[in-house]
Amino acid sequence: MAGSPSRAAGRRLQLPLLCLFLQGATAVLFAVFVRYNHKTDAALWHRGNHSNADNEFYFRYPSFQDVHAMVFVGFGFLMVFLQRYGFSSVGFTFLLAAFALQWSTLVQGFLHSFHSGHIHVGVESMINADFCVGAVLISSGALLGKTGPAQLLLMALLEVVLFGINEFVLLHLLGVRVWGGMEWGVGGGQGQPLSQEHGGGGGVLPLHLTAPPQVRDAGGSMTIHTFGAYFGLVLSRVLYRPQLEKSKHRQGSVYHSDLFAMIGTIFLWIFWPSFNSALTALGTGQHQTALNTYYSLAASTLSTFALSALVGEDGRLDMVHIQNAALAGGVVVGTSSEMMLTPFGALAAGFLAGTVSTLGYKFFTPILESKFKVQDTSGVHNLHGMPGVLGALLGVLVAGLATHEAYGDGLERVFPLIAEGQRSATSQAMYQLFGLFVTLMFASVGGGLGAGLLLKLPFLDSPLDSQCYEDQVHWQVPGEHEDEAQRPLRVEEADTQA
Amino acid sequence: MAGSPSRAAGRRLQLPLLCLFLQGATAVLFAVFVRYNHKTDAALWHRGNHSNADNEFYFRYPSFQDVHAMVFVGFGFLMVFLQRYGFSSVGFTFLLAAFALQWSTLVQGFLHSFHSGHIHVGVESMINADFCVGAVLISSGALLGKTGPAQLLLMALLEVVLFGINEFVLLHLLGVRVWGGMEWGVGGGQGQPLSQEHGGGGGVLPLHLTAPPQVRDAGGSMTIHTFGAYFGLVLSRVLYRPQLEKSKHRQGSVYHSDLFAMIGTIFLWIFWPSFNSALTALGTGQHQTALNTYYSLAASTLSTFALSALVGEDGRLDMVHIQNAALAGGVVVGTSSEMMLTPFGALAAGFLAGTVSTLGYKFFTPILESKFKVQDTSGVHNLHGMPGVLGALLGVLVAGLATHEAYGDGLERVFPLIAEGQRSATSQAMYQLFGLFVTLMFASVGGGLGAGLLLKLPFLDSPLDSQCYEDQVHWQVPGEHEDEAQRPLRVEEADTQA
Amino acid sequence: MAGSPSRAAGRRLQLPLLCLFLQGATAVLFAVFVRYNHKTDAALWHRGNHSNADNEFYFRYPSFQDVHAMVFVGFGFLMVFLQRYGFSSVGFTFLLAAFALQWSTLVQGFLHSFHSGHIHVGVESMINADFCVGAVLISSGALLGKTGPAQLLLMALLEVVLFGINEFVLLHLLGVRVWGGMEWGVGGGQGQPLSQEHGGGGGVLPLHLTAPPQVRDAGGSMTIHTFGAYFGLVLSRVLYRPQLEKSKHRQGSVYHSDLFAMIGTIFLWIFWPSFNSALTALGTGQHQTALNTYYSLAASTLSTFALSALVGEDGRLDMVHIQNAALAGGVVVGTSSEMMLTPFGALAAGFLAGTVSTLGYKFFTPILESKFKVQDTSGVHNLHGMPGVLGALLGVLVAGLATHEAYGDGLERVFPLIAEGQRSATSQAMYQLFGLFVTLMFASVGGGLGAGLLLKLPFLDSPLDSQCYEDQVHWQVPGEHEDEAQRPLRVEEADTQA
């Protein structure tokens, strides 16, 4: 039945209808709610008598472009490693990201920059939206090859909402006292994922009460990596396929697909310093965060090569490790790179993350499937899950060591509540730890109950066990060589077997 | 005769002699005319007592680098989709662009920044030159695989001149009153492709009368996309090959050539916000333009996936659509993204462009060839032609709705003639429409008469009908696999058939 | 014996132990010596009462990101041209660079920014470290395919030290008088590879005597390209393999490996203007340097196409030339692009460099191997060696023509000693020439004696003559096609032959 005409007809309509519906609904919500903020709208800006050179655009947009390259080039090509799933890997990443950035502009906007009935957008909403997209793509990495595009869109629909709520809880609800508005100015960036709110609050828009972040997580070790990874892993558990070995022969890479994946790896690696620093405080805040991330990534690269050769058959390196674990250094300093981590601390953290991640690929991924029934296609548990949790714990440690001496005036930027005397460093550390716990809850329950049940809706198009990791299910695929007119339709044969 | 030694000898000399001549002539013209402008030359800059931090370099160069990546990586790899034409696609793009950027520095310089006998160059001339290169590469996309590199260089030689004149007419001649010089300063960018002239006019260089643009087209929906597309399409009509089906077997993609093409697509997509905003007014102007483009592209991606699946055989997606139509959202807001388009307007425009472009690939491209005898290799009519015209019309609409309320002080930047009370919004809209008409005239007549006749010069090296889309005509090509010493010389066989 | 279990066991341990040792030692040195500088550390910065917008981060970081992309994407993929060495090319580049950037942070730090017992780091140390990595990767290009990763790491260990010393000698020792500290400020960048020292010297850190550079080399024609190339070439001479023809069948490219290499070429080409300008003086200094490099690259691209077709078999273009010689325009203006080269001068220099480089590939590389016994895998002599020397000589010429009239106030930035009346332009030219001589000495002696002997240590893992240019020696390599489970282990067969 699976390969029957009725199924094909269903498939023909499911993806386009969902795309059209989601885009239509988003557009209507944009029309009603979304407006330029005062840094984007000339009429509002000039009322404030600011110089054009002070526009936050110039301090954030170059970082945004790097983040944008990571999301679309980095994630897109990193997932091309599968031998017959390249079109889907880069194509569905593209589709998911294009939808999720719009949807998260709305969700984050409602939660964080909703004033007088409108969401106000600017360069920081673009960065925040791309960050949320990052989490969605991390989750999709666990499902890669085993879900159709309509399923992935539904996952994004739910995940973006949960991402926004989790972030809101961490930043605003894990504490009590509400804080007054802050002055606006080039020097007044807030160094946290939602600073557009604070920025907007004190400028030309009607002031409303804003709170400093209760938990710090500038580069998203918790909110992006841990959340995205465990959301995807729990979802993958719910969608467990006991018969997946029917597609085993397509689960590996071929020579050139590994080279394409390295394009993704390298772009993620080089731009990660911009990712972690994109929304930290202007000036020394961005400067230090970028520097820490740069060192951490270098160290994780060396430990990945070391461990990969050490555990590899015959001492040979494994491309999967290099493509992924070398990036763990960026994940592990996501929380702490804006803090006084020190260059040595960055190296040590990166080294640890590369080690844990490589060992995870070698030893834990097989157990994850056999014992925990989690089929983690691209190993997000190793690249984002464990390093994300480690990064959150590192944040606990570094926050607990914060002193006035070490941070100077910077303490007010990174830990305003400590600077104001409302919290001790130890208490901040406890809040950070609680933030990790909350994130794991949201990710697991959301991924499991919500998304899991949603994606199992029986009418949703999902590839057969024998058709996983195969582009032809969703794409018109040309032959591999010039002489083949078209790759033979092996999928259809598989269909009839099923 | 085609494959004979005499022809080979001719081929040996045509390209190098043309390259040497063009480079030599360009260098001589540079020696005589081109000088650093006051933002580039320390001696001139310091006379003006400016701070180094105010140098326009810092406000434009990051955008320039994104545009540069789009031109060379984006266009270069987007055209690699042909299975046996990868070397030529990326190589000839490289060659054409390297020549055209020099030549357009001269042409645009003569028309727009010629003072006291010299052309003055700086970061804005680099951006303007790269913009002109964009138009040339769009045209070459229609001819891809059917013309030799010498023909393409001659096309660029003519097209750059016509591009410059068309742009000059739109910006300066479609109106009457000449306007006084503007103050220089960080806040004084002019938000239009030729602002270095105005900037230069009021600074340290001898002042000369400058006019505000008569027609707005910051991201080039008209001047770049419409012009480039119809120039190429008319040229392709003139060079129509009735026997092209002899090369039909090489006209499609193979699996990995489609993945290479996606590198081009993604880099074009992520950096398009920088393209449209590279020369808009500093501050809110660049900020808003980037934001609008970001939203428009997201929407065109969703509509492209929706339509591609809807019209695809068996509901399957077509890589050609994803590679191209998803980018139409950037084209369609080229004129209006610096205006008060609103975020909703950007989504709606992008959605429409993706839809039109995808349907164009599916239904109109075959008709274009069969009925209109236009062989449009990479579908520039769908990606640049129709979305460019739509973008110009959208500009007409949005310009016609311009009010003091909506733009505030920004009105003087975007529509100085309206702000000064010299034009009504409706009148500005009519000028915009007239600009589209002028552009179509220049492109068609220039592409048809000029370039068409030039490229048909009988002694010019052009591939045989049986040798189109084939790298070996121009390149020493290694085998596809490690075991082949060299790909067999099928071209030569084809030669003898001819 | 070569393929025996004991050898495999040795291989298993050599790389990981070296990685772990180097990373461990680096981390300890970082812990003891490396600290944030005053632009990175909030506590130090705020003591200086600076605005966040003035942080040097905003004037250097976008350039850094471009340089970073060149090092990792550019060099990494440029070397993927070999048909069966893609994993090693991009992987070992990654490993080498990740180690060398840490190690050069230490070495350059000790030599140039060591105050009160600490090395102070910030965005300029990241750029300087990446520059040094560039030199190391250039050297590795000469050895590509003939050395194991442990050998390459040892090479980097030594080369980074010699690079640092050579740079120190050129910038500081080739002269006598010691100069007072300079004021710090946005306008006070020093326009030379080591400006963090001077910046740091006058700010909040304890002042120490600093000297203006004795020899100018902003983009590293001497310190990076000449040094890196001749270091690698002499090393390749010492490691000469008379039996290398055993691996000849793997020495060429295949169709798709050439396309991957073009990714490297294009990213190097587009970002080279940022490379040369990354550390030049702020404002007009960076502006002019970027512009000159842009023109030079365009001209070298045209001359490369011209010469490649002229000397090519049957007039056909050779991908090797396009991939490499087109970049020579960036190398040749490395010294002079921050000087008053003029746009015409940039075109002429680029044209010459492209010509020399292409002819070098065609005629000199074979002689280099047959006569001089230098096996230069990726032709670094043609891309970096000759153009680097030409660039140094061009620097001699342009420095010798420096006048107060031409440079205005800029003279103090580019040639402070001439501006202060301590040197004539002719004398500066002589110093520049002497700098080239010193560089060639350091590179040759260092590469020959030091690195050469080190890399010949008998216990070091090095591929057999029959196993060169082969990924399987170091990597677990999947098959080329979906149907092969694993590429057959041809290496092992080769082993037994040996």
Side-chain angles (χ1 to χ4, degrees):
Chain A
M1 192 211 93
S4 69
S6 71
R7 182 182 170 88
R11 187 170 55 203
R12 180 194 285 271
L13 285 175
Q14 213 165 80
L15 175 64
L17 290 186
L18 189 59
C19 285
L20 293 175
F21 169 74
L22 292 176
Q23 185 58 69
T26 305
V28 170
L29 291 171
F30 262 62
V32 178
F33 292 113
V34 179
R35 299 293 179 271
Y36 302 122
N37 72 14
H38 72 290
K39 298 165 200 168
T40 311
D41 186 318
L44 299 176
W45 174 267
H46 289 288
R47 259 186 251 154
N49 239 330
H50 304 299
S51 155
N52 284 320
D54 290 344
N55 198 302
E56 194 145 8
F57 182 77
Y58 297 107
F59 302 91
R60 303 280 182 205
Y61 186 72
S63 305
F64 163 71
Q65 280 296 25
D66 293 350
V67 171
H68 215 38
M70 289 175 72
V71 167
F72 287 86
V73 181
F75 279 107
F77 280 91
L78 184 59
M79 301 196 195
V80 175
F81 73 98
L82 291 169
Q83 59 187 255
R84 290 173 68 168
Y85 207 63
F87 286 17
S88 303
S89 297
V90 71
F92 296 159
T93 297
F94 193 19
L95 172 64
L96 264 189
F99 165 63
L101 70 86
Q102 298 177 58
W103 180 228
S104 76
T105 299
L106 288 165
V107 171
Q108 294 180 319
F110 280 121
L111 288 167
H112 303 291
S113 62
F114 194 70
H115 311 292
S116 344
H118 290 133
I119 291 165
H120 293 88
V121 292
V123 67
E124 293 189 19
S125 14
M126 293 160 78
I127 298 174
N128 276 313
D130 269 35
F131 275 8
C132 177
V133 168
V136 171
L137 296 180
I138 290 167
S139 302
S140 78
L143 308 178
L144 195 69
K146 301 170 299 183
T147 41
Q151 286 181 299
L152 291 173
L153 283 171
L154 288 180
M155 178 194 78
L157 186 68
L158 184 67
E159 182 171 0
V160 166
V161 175
L162 290 170
F163 175 94
I165 295 174
N166 178 57
E167 191 187 44
F168 185 73
V169 170
L170 262 63
L171 294 178
H172 295 292
L173 297 192
L174 296 188
V176 271
R177 211 187 76 101
V178 175
W179 212 55
M182 301 184 70
E183 296 169 78
W184 183 87
V186 165
Q190 299 308 316
Q192 45 114 334
L194 304 157
S195 58
Q196 81 274 29
E197 174 193 18
H198 304 294
V204 289
L205 298 172
L207 216 135
H208 82 137
L209 289 181
T210 54
Q214 304 293 323
V215 170
R216 303 295 304 189
D217 194 20
S221 287
M222 288 178 271
T223 53
I224 301 170
H225 299 288
T226 303
F227 179 85
Y230 290 98
F231 188 98
L233 291 166
V234 172
L235 186 45
S236 187
R237 173 67 190 82
V238 176
L239 301 177
Y240 179 68
R241 289 170 180 263
Q243 306 277 306
L244 191 57
E245 78 278 11
K246 285 188 185 173
S247 292
K248 189 132 207 93
H249 56 293
R250 279 187 305 261
Q251 213 178 336
S253 61
V254 288
Y255 193 67
H256 73 259
S257 73
D258 269 327
L259 286 175
F260 277 115
M262 276 305 284
I263 298 175
T265 298
I266 298 286
F267 274 98
L268 286 167
W269 199 92
I270 60 172
F271 289 146
W272 215 299
S274 302
F275 189 92
N276 284 346
S277 68
L279 287 170
T280 54
L282 295 182
T284 51
Q286 291 197 293
H287 202 155
Q288 190 177 98
T289 308
L291 194 64
N292 285 334
T293 309
Y294 173 78
Y295 290 136
S296 179
L297 284 161
S300 67
T301 304
L302 262 86
S303 62
T304 298
F305 273 87
L307 271 289
S308 182
L310 212 53
V311 304
E313 198 188 308
D314 244 343
R316 288 202 175 92
L317 296 159
D318 187 335
M319 219 7 150
V320 172
H321 304 160
I322 309 305
Q323 283 159 0
N324 292 280
L327 297 167
V331 175
V332 80
V333 295
T335 301
S336 58
S337 54
E338 65 163 338
M339 305 175 186
M340 285 301 283
L341 179 59
T342 78
F344 163 74
L347 288 185
F351 185 86
L352 180 67
T355 303
V356 167
S357 186
T358 308
L359 295 177
Y361 275 98
K362 182 72 183 182
F363 301 109
F364 196 61
T365 295
I367 295 174
L368 206 61
E369 174 154 9
S370 61
K371 291 282 193 311
F372 297 93
K373 300 196 185 307
V374 176
Q375 291 153 331
D376 178 9
T377 311
S378 60
V380 303
H381 187 252
N382 309 306
L383 172 49
H384 301 279
M386 291 188 295
V389 171
L390 278 178
L393 296 176
L394 183 62
V396 172
L397 177 69
V398 181
L401 298 172
T403 62
H404 278 274
E405 289 67 45
Y407 288 76
D409 292 6
L411 193 62
E412 209 167 298
R413 303 272 188 81
V414 183
F415 298 115
L417 294 173
I418 301 181
E420 304 275 316
Q422 297 180 47
R423 268 191 195 166
S424 67
T426 313
S427 150
Q428 179 67 36
M430 287 302 104
Y431 277 101
Q432 296 285 138
L433 189 61
F434 192 53
L436 172 62
F437 176 76
V438 170
T439 300
L440 287 168
M441 282 301 99
F442 266 101
S444 314
V445 176
L449 291 188
L453 298 180
L454 188 65
L455 268 65
K456 288 191 102 167
L457 288 176
F459 56 81
L460 271 181
D461 183 40
S462 179
L464 297 177
D465 287 342
S466 60
Q467 294 180 357
C468 288
Y469 318 119
E470 171 59 63
D471 272 339
Q472 283 191 97
V473 178
H474 309 290
W475 299 84
Q476 296 170 37
V477 180
E480 188 102 40
H481 303 296
E482 59 206 61
D483 303 321
E484 304 170 29
Q486 165 102 20
R487 185 189 272 190
L489 291 175
R490 299 173 211 180
V491 168
E492 301 310 323
E493 299 158 26
D495 261 1
T496 52
Q497 292 160 16
Chain B
M1 193 210 91
S4 70
S6 71
R7 183 183 170 87
R11 187 169 54 203
R12 179 195 285 271
L13 285 175
Q14 212 165 83
L15 175 64
L17 290 186
L18 189 59
C19 285
L20 293 175
F21 169 75
L22 291 176
Q23 185 58 67
T26 305
V28 170
L29 292 170
F30 262 63
V32 178
F33 293 114
V34 179
R35 300 292 179 271
Y36 301 123
N37 73 14
H38 72 289
K39 298 166 200 167
T40 311
D41 186 318
L44 300 176
W45 174 266
H46 289 288
R47 258 185 252 155
N49 239 330
H50 304 300
S51 153
N52 283 321
D54 289 344
N55 198 301
E56 194 144 10
F57 183 77
Y58 297 107
F59 302 91
R60 302 281 182 205
Y61 187 72
S63 304
F64 163 71
Q65 280 298 26
D66 293 349
V67 171
H68 214 40
M70 289 175 72
V71 167
F72 287 85
V73 182
F75 280 107
F77 279 92
L78 183 59
M79 299 195 195
V80 175
F81 74 96
L82 290 169
Q83 58 188 256
R84 290 174 67 168
Y85 207 62
F87 286 17
S88 304
S89 296
V90 72
F92 296 160
T93 297
F94 194 19
L95 172 65
L96 264 188
F99 164 64
L101 70 86
Q102 298 177 56
W103 180 228
S104 76
T105 300
L106 287 165
V107 170
Q108 294 180 319
F110 280 123
L111 289 167
H112 303 292
S113 62
F114 194 69
H115 311 294
S116 344
H118 290 133
I119 292 165
H120 293 88
V121 294
V123 67
E124 294 189 17
S125 14
M126 293 160 79
I127 299 174
N128 276 312
D130 268 35
F131 275 9
C132 178
V133 169
V136 171
L137 296 180
I138 290 167
S139 302
S140 78
L143 308 178
L144 194 69
K146 301 169 299 182
T147 40
Q151 286 181 299
L152 291 173
L153 283 171
L154 289 179
M155 177 195 79
L157 186 70
L158 184 66
E159 183 171 0
V160 166
V161 175
L162 290 169
F163 175 94
I165 295 174
N166 178 57
E167 192 186 45
F168 185 75
V169 169
L170 262 62
L171 295 177
H172 296 292
L173 297 191
L174 296 187
V176 270
R177 210 186 76 102
V178 174
W179 212 55
M182 301 185 70
E183 296 168 80
W184 185 86
V186 165
Q190 299 308 315
Q192 45 113 332
L194 303 157
S195 57
Q196 81 275 28
E197 174 194 19
H198 305 295
V204 288
L205 298 172
L207 216 135
H208 80 138
L209 290 181
T210 54
Q214 304 293 322
V215 170
R216 303 296 303 191
D217 194 21
S221 287
M222 287 179 273
T223 52
I224 300 169
H225 300 288
T226 303
F227 179 86
Y230 289 98
F231 187 98
L233 290 166
V234 171
L235 187 45
S236 187
R237 173 65 190 82
V238 175
L239 301 178
Y240 179 67
R241 290 171 181 262
Q243 306 278 305
L244 192 57
E245 78 278 12
K246 286 187 184 173
S247 293
K248 190 133 205 91
H249 56 294
R250 282 187 302 261
Q251 213 178 338
S253 60
V254 288
Y255 194 66
H256 73 257
S257 73
D258 269 328
L259 287 174
F260 277 115
M262 276 304 284
I263 297 174
T265 298
I266 298 288
F267 274 99
L268 287 167
W269 200 92
I270 60 172
F271 288 146
W272 215 299
S274 302
F275 189 92
N276 284 345
S277 68
L279 288 170
T280 54
L282 296 181
T284 51
Q286 290 197 293
H287 203 153
Q288 190 177 98
T289 308
L291 194 64
N292 285 334
T293 309
Y294 173 77
Y295 290 135
S296 180
L297 285 161
S300 67
T301 304
L302 263 86
S303 63
T304 298
F305 272 87
L307 272 289
S308 182
L310 212 53
V311 303
E313 197 188 308
D314 244 342
R316 288 200 174 94
L317 296 159
D318 187 336
M319 218 7 147
V320 172
H321 303 159
I322 309 306
Q323 283 159 2
N324 293 279
L327 297 167
V331 175
V332 80
V333 295
T335 301
S336 57
S337 53
E338 64 163 338
M339 306 175 185
M340 286 300 284
L341 179 59
T342 78
F344 163 74
L347 288 185
F351 184 87
L352 180 67
T355 303
V356 167
S357 186
T358 307
L359 296 177
Y361 274 99
K362 180 74 182 181
F363 301 111
F364 195 60
T365 295
I367 295 174
L368 205 60
E369 175 156 7
S370 62
K371 291 280 191 317
F372 296 93
K373 301 197 183 308
V374 177
Q375 291 152 331
D376 178 7
T377 310
S378 61
V380 304
H381 188 252
N382 309 306
L383 172 50
H384 302 279
M386 291 188 295
V389 171
L390 277 179
L393 296 175
L394 183 63
V396 171
L397 177 70
V398 182
L401 297 173
T403 62
H404 279 274
E405 288 69 45
Y407 288 77
D409 292 4
L411 193 62
E412 208 167 296
R413 301 274 186 82
V414 184
F415 298 116
L417 295 172
I418 302 180
E420 304 276 315
Q422 297 180 46
R423 267 189 196 168
S424 67
T426 313
S427 151
Q428 179 67 36
M430 288 301 104
Y431 277 101
Q432 297 284 137
L433 188 62
F434 192 52
L436 172 61
F437 176 75
V438 170
T439 299
L440 287 168
M441 283 300 99
F442 266 101
S444 313
V445 176
L449 291 188
L453 297 180
L454 188 65
L455 267 66
K456 288 190 103 168
L457 287 177
F459 56 84
L460 273 180
D461 183 41
S462 178
L464 298 176
D465 288 343
S466 60
Q467 295 179 355
C468 289
Y469 317 120
E470 171 59 61
D471 273 338
Q472 283 192 96
V473 178
H474 308 289
W475 299 82
Q476 295 169 38
V477 180
E480 189 101 41
H481 303 296
E482 59 205 61
D483 304 322
E484 302 171 30
Q486 164 102 18
R487 184 190 273 188
L489 291 175
R490 296 173 213 180
V491 168
E492 301 309 324
E493 300 158 25
D495 262 3
T496 53
Q497 291 159 17
Chain C
M1 191 212 93
S4 70
S6 72
R7 183 181 169 90
R11 188 168 55 205
R12 181 195 283 272
L13 285 174
Q14 211 165 82
L15 176 64
L17 291 187
L18 189 59
C19 285
L20 294 175
F21 169 74
L22 292 176
Q23 186 58 68
T26 305
V28 170
L29 292 171
F30 263 63
V32 178
F33 293 114
V34 179
R35 300 293 179 270
Y36 301 122
N37 73 13
H38 71 289
K39 299 165 198 167
T40 311
D41 186 318
L44 299 177
W45 174 266
H46 289 288
R47 259 186 252 155
N49 240 329
H50 304 299
S51 154
N52 284 319
D54 289 344
N55 197 302
E56 193 144 9
F57 183 76
Y58 298 107
F59 301 92
R60 303 280 182 203
Y61 186 72
S63 305
F64 163 71
Q65 280 297 26
D66 292 350
V67 171
H68 214 39
M70 289 175 72
V71 167
F72 287 86
V73 181
F75 280 107
F77 279 92
L78 184 59
M79 300 196 196
V80 175
F81 74 97
L82 290 170
Q83 58 188 257
R84 288 173 68 168
Y85 207 63
F87 286 17
S88 303
S89 297
V90 71
F92 297 159
T93 297
F94 194 19
L95 172 64
L96 264 188
F99 164 64
L101 70 87
Q102 297 177 57
W103 180 227
S104 75
T105 299
L106 287 165
V107 170
Q108 293 180 318
F110 280 121
L111 288 167
H112 302 292
S113 62
F114 194 70
H115 311 291
S116 344
H118 290 133
I119 292 166
H120 293 89
V121 294
V123 68
E124 293 189 19
S125 16
M126 293 160 78
I127 298 174
N128 276 312
D130 269 35
F131 275 8
C132 178
V133 169
V136 171
L137 296 180
I138 290 167
S139 302
S140 78
L143 307 178
L144 194 69
K146 301 169 299 184
T147 40
Q151 286 181 299
L152 291 173
L153 283 171
L154 289 179
M155 180 194 76
L157 186 69
L158 183 66
E159 183 171 0
V160 166
V161 175
L162 290 170
F163 175 94
I165 295 176
N166 177 57
E167 191 187 46
F168 185 74
V169 170
L170 262 62
L171 295 177
H172 295 293
L173 297 193
L174 296 187
V176 271
R177 211 187 77 100
V178 174
W179 213 54
M182 302 185 68
E183 298 168 78
W184 184 87
V186 164
Q190 298 309 316
Q192 44 114 333
L194 304 156
S195 58
Q196 80 275 28
E197 174 194 16
H198 306 293
V204 288
L205 297 172
L207 215 135
H208 80 138
L209 289 182
T210 53
Q214 304 294 322
V215 169
R216 305 294 305 190
D217 194 21
S221 287
M222 287 178 273
T223 53
I224 301 170
H225 299 288
T226 303
F227 179 85
Y230 289 98
F231 188 97
L233 290 167
V234 172
L235 187 45
S236 188
R237 173 67 191 80
V238 175
L239 301 178
Y240 180 68
R241 291 171 180 261
Q243 305 279 305
L244 191 58
E245 78 278 12
K246 285 188 185 173
S247 291
K248 189 131 206 94
H249 57 293
R250 281 187 304 261
Q251 212 179 338
S253 60
V254 288
Y255 194 66
H256 73 258
S257 73
D258 269 327
L259 287 174
F260 277 115
M262 276 303 284
I263 297 174
T265 299
I266 298 287
F267 274 99
L268 286 167
W269 199 93
I270 60 172
F271 288 147
W272 214 298
S274 302
F275 189 93
N276 284 346
S277 68
L279 286 171
T280 54
L282 296 180
T284 52
Q286 291 197 292
H287 202 154
Q288 191 178 97
T289 308
L291 194 64
N292 285 335
T293 309
Y294 173 77
Y295 290 136
S296 180
L297 285 161
S300 67
T301 304
L302 262 86
S303 62
T304 297
F305 273 86
L307 271 289
S308 181
L310 212 52
V311 302
E313 196 188 308
D314 245 343
R316 288 199 175 94
L317 296 159
D318 187 336
M319 218 10 147
V320 173
H321 304 160
I322 309 307
Q323 283 160 1
N324 293 279
L327 297 166
V331 176
V332 79
V333 296
T335 301
S336 57
S337 54
E338 65 164 336
M339 306 176 185
M340 285 300 285
L341 180 60
T342 79
F344 164 74
L347 289 185
F351 185 86
L352 181 67
T355 303
V356 168
S357 185
T358 308
L359 295 176
Y361 275 98
K362 182 73 182 182
F363 301 110
F364 196 60
T365 295
I367 295 174
L368 205 60
E369 173 155 8
S370 61
K371 291 280 192 313
F372 297 93
K373 301 198 184 306
V374 176
Q375 292 152 331
D376 177 9
T377 311
S378 61
V380 303
H381 187 252
N382 309 305
L383 172 49
H384 301 279
M386 291 188 294
V389 171
L390 278 178
L393 296 176
L394 183 63
V396 171
L397 177 69
V398 182
L401 297 172
T403 62
H404 278 274
E405 288 68 46
Y407 287 78
D409 292 5
L411 192 62
E412 209 167 297
R413 303 275 184 80
V414 183
F415 298 115
L417 294 172
I418 302 182
E420 304 276 317
Q422 296 181 46
R423 265 190 198 167
S424 67
T426 313
S427 151
Q428 178 67 36
M430 288 302 104
Y431 278 101
Q432 297 284 139
L433 189 61
F434 192 52
L436 173 61
F437 176 75
V438 170
T439 300
L440 287 168
M441 281 302 99
F442 267 101
S444 313
V445 177
L449 291 188
L453 298 180
L454 188 65
L455 268 67
K456 287 190 103 167
L457 288 176
F459 56 83
L460 272 180
D461 184 40
S462 179
L464 296 177
D465 288 342
S466 60
Q467 295 179 357
C468 288
Y469 318 119
E470 171 60 63
D471 272 339
Q472 282 191 96
V473 177
H474 309 290
W475 299 82
Q476 295 170 38
V477 180
E480 189 103 42
H481 303 297
E482 59 205 63
D483 303 321
E484 303 170 28
Q486 166 102 17
R487 184 191 271 189
L489 291 175
R490 295 172 214 182
V491 169
E492 300 309 322
E493 300 159 26
D495 262 0
T496 52
Q497 291 160 18

